[in-house]
């Protein structure tokens, strides 16, 4: 098989896999534009004959989506800030200092990642209640998300720091720079793509977080969009077009971030692949 044929075959496979992966997103968008009868037509229409574009405005106004999206942004940005501030230093230590205690610490960090949110919510809720953090529900959710996602961030950023040659730091130390100064002036700028992509992945997780928000935030005006989507659910739910319209608006910020920063995301994902 020639290289050209192989490349075309791989491209065809990639296109087919991408189409399969993106089809649910496409179906969500067009279902939002269908009328009640068109949604259940057999065979289904792959594009609505009479698109109901006004459904987006109706859902935005009736569900007060601006408030929900704002709460999601506050929680996601808060969680990313906490994780980036504390996780970056931890990842640097695990990347530069190697001994048995560091390996044990890394193992414990990885073990925290396997614990599901549904398992951790009860002890977290009790602990936050005793500390009085439930009086500040969005802060409590930010801390809960940070505790859950910190191991994932540390593992990704650690690989990025390990790809930065240690000789650069040693040269900075020889020139009279301190360890902290070498970190901020040499290592951090070289690792910014890896840190950025890790922060974006954490943001995506936090923006769609549901378990902690549903359990901790009781006030409707403070709930994020993921909990707002759950308000559609009920025993007699039949407004599937409005549900899909809500979901389409909900995922738009995430898609916009991915499209705008796709080059940096790819660069960050591959920054720790080669040394």
């Amino acid at each position: 098989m020639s290289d050209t044929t192989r490349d075309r075959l791989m491209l065809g496979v990639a296109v087919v896999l991408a189409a399969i992966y993106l089809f649910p997103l496409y179906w969500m968008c067009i279902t939002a534009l269908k009328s009640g009868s068109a949604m259940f037509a057999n065979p289904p229409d792959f594009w609505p004959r009479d698109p109901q574009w006004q459904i987006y405005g109706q859902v935005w106004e009736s569900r007060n989506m601006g408030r929900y999206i704002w709460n999601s942004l506050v929680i996601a940005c808060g969680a990313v800030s906490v994780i980036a501030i504390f996780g970056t230093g931890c990842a640097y230590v695990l990347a530069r200092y190697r001994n048995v205690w560091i390996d044990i610490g890394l193992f414990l960090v990885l073990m925290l990642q396997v614990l599901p949110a549904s398992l951790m919510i009860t002890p977290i809720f009790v602990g936050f209640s005793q500390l009085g953090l439930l009086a500040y529900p969005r802060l409590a959710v930010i801390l809960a998300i940070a505790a859950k996602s910190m191991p994932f961030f540390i593992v990704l950023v650690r690989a990025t720091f390990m790809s930065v040659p240690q000789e650069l730091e040693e040269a900075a130390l020889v020139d009279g720079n301190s360890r902290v100064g070498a970190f901020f002036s040499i290592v951090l700028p070289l690792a910014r793509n890896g840190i950025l992509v890790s922060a974006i992945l954490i943001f995506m997780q936090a923006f769609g977080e549901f378990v902690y928000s549903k359990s901790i935030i009781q006030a409707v005006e403070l709930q994020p969009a993921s909990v707002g989507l759950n308000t559609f659910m009920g025993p007699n739910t039949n407004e599937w077009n409005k549900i899909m319209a809500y979901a389409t608006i909900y995922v738009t910020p995430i898609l916009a971030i991915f499209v705008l920063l796709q080059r940096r995301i790819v660069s960050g994902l591959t920054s720790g692949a080669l040394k």
Side-chain angles (χ1 to χ4, degrees), residues 2-265:
S2 64
D3 292 341
T4 303
T5 303
R6 183 180 58 190
D7 292 343
R8 290 178 178 176
L9 179 61
M10 295 300 295
L11 178 61
V13 172
V15 170
V16 171
L17 293 177
I20 295 174
Y21 184 79
L22 294 175
F23 181 78
L25 183 63
Y26 166 76
W27 196 251
M28 176 184 69
C29 295
I30 67 165
T31 301
L33 300 176
K34 293 181 178 180
S35 62
S37 58
M39 286 188 298
F40 302 101
N42 190 16
D45 295 325
F46 287 89
W47 182 258
R49 300 177 182 178
D50 184 22
Q52 307 293 313
W53 296 104
Q54 71 278 6
I55 191 70
Y56 292 107
Q58 294 174 0
V59 171
W60 181 273
E61 293 293 336
S62 63
R63 294 289 173 169
N64 201 358
M65 282 204 66
R67 181 191 65 200
Y68 283 124
I69 295 295
W70 170 251
N71 290 330
S72 293
L73 289 174
V74 169
I75 292 173
C77 292
V80 169
S81 300
V82 172
I83 292 172
I85 291 172
F86 294 101
T88 302
C90 182
Y92 175 75
V93 171
L94 292 175
R96 285 292 182 259
Y97 300 97
R98 300 303 304 272
N99 57 50
V100 63
W101 296 110
I102 294 295
D103 293 338
I104 292 175
L106 182 60
F107 174 77
L108 294 176
V109 167
L110 292 174
M111 286 299 296
L112 291 174
Q113 184 62 34
V114 305
L115 299 176
S118 57
L119 177 65
M120 297 300 297
I121 182 58
T122 300
I124 287 177
F125 186 90
V126 173
F128 284 176
S129 177
Q130 295 176 348
L131 293 174
L133 287 175
L134 295 183
Y136 311 95
R138 286 192 299 194
L139 175 61
V141 172
I142 289 172
L143 296 177
I145 295 174
K148 177 67 175 65
S149 302
M150 184 79 76
F152 179 70
F153 180 87
I154 291 174
V155 170
L156 290 181
V157 177
R158 175 178 178 268
T160 301
F161 282 137
M162 292 180 68
S163 68
V164 178
Q166 196 166 355
E167 290 78 7
L168 296 177
E169 291 179 76
E170 296 173 353
L173 295 176
V174 171
D175 289 340
N177 216 330
S178 65
R179 173 68 70 176
V180 176
F183 172 75
F184 282 103
S185 61
I186 303 296
V187 180
L188 204 57
L190 293 175
R192 63 180 182 273
N193 282 342
I195 297 174
L196 176 62
V197 70
S198 302
I200 292 173
L201 294 176
I202 296 297
F203 180 89
M204 292 179 178
Q205 291 181 1
F207 192 78
E209 200 285 322
F210 175 77
V211 175
Y212 294 140
S213 300
K214 178 66 174 177
S215 302
I216 295 176
I217 302 178
Q218 303 301 322
V220 177
E221 62 272 13
L222 299 178
Q223 291 176 342
S226 57
V227 180
L229 180 60
N230 187 65
T231 60
F232 281 99
M233 304 305 171
N236 300 315
T237 299
N238 56 7
E239 299 178 322
W240 290 105
N241 53 346
K242 292 185 178 180
I243 294 175
M244 295 302 175
Y246 186 105
T248 301
I249 299 173
Y250 182 25
V251 302
T252 298
I254 297 298
L255 294 178
I257 291 174
F258 183 83
V259 171
L260 293 175
L261 301 176
Q262 58 178 324
R263 291 187 178 181
R264 288 187 175 271
I265 291 174

